[in-house]
Amino acid sequence: MNRRVKSALLWGAVGVLSFLVLAQGYALVAGPLVTIIQGAAVALLVGAGAAASAYVLEYRIAEWAAERARK
């Protein structure tokens, strides 16, 4: 597995866990927002979106940062 794919998958995992933490925090404060199944489904969608975004944008952001550092 190349480094770019591995990085994107790790960002996807961060997205999944972040959504689950936010959903749990909301449930503790105000009551359940979604069921466990719905929460898992949304978390997977968030993770897929984060992974896809990281895969597409990581190279461009790195290029932009390098260009900005040269100035």
Side-chain angles (χ1 to χ4, degrees):
M1 179 181 314
N2 69 29
R3 294 170 58 191
R4 188 172 174 197
V5 172
K6 186 176 182 180
S7 174
L9 290 175
L10 289 172
W11 277 112
V14 168
V16 167
L17 294 175
S18 296
F19 177 81
L20 291 174
V21 166
L22 288 172
Q24 183 66 36
Y26 186 88
L28 289 171
V29 172
L33 181 64
V34 294
T35 66
I36 292 173
I37 302 298
Q38 291 171 335
V42 172
L44 289 176
L45 289 173
V46 169
S53 297
Y55 186 80
V56 170
L57 296 176
E58 186 175 26
Y59 181 73
R60 292 181 183 143
I61 292 172
E63 252 184 24
W64 173 76
E67 184 67 31
R68 189 171 177 201
R70 284 186 209 124
K71 291 182 180 180

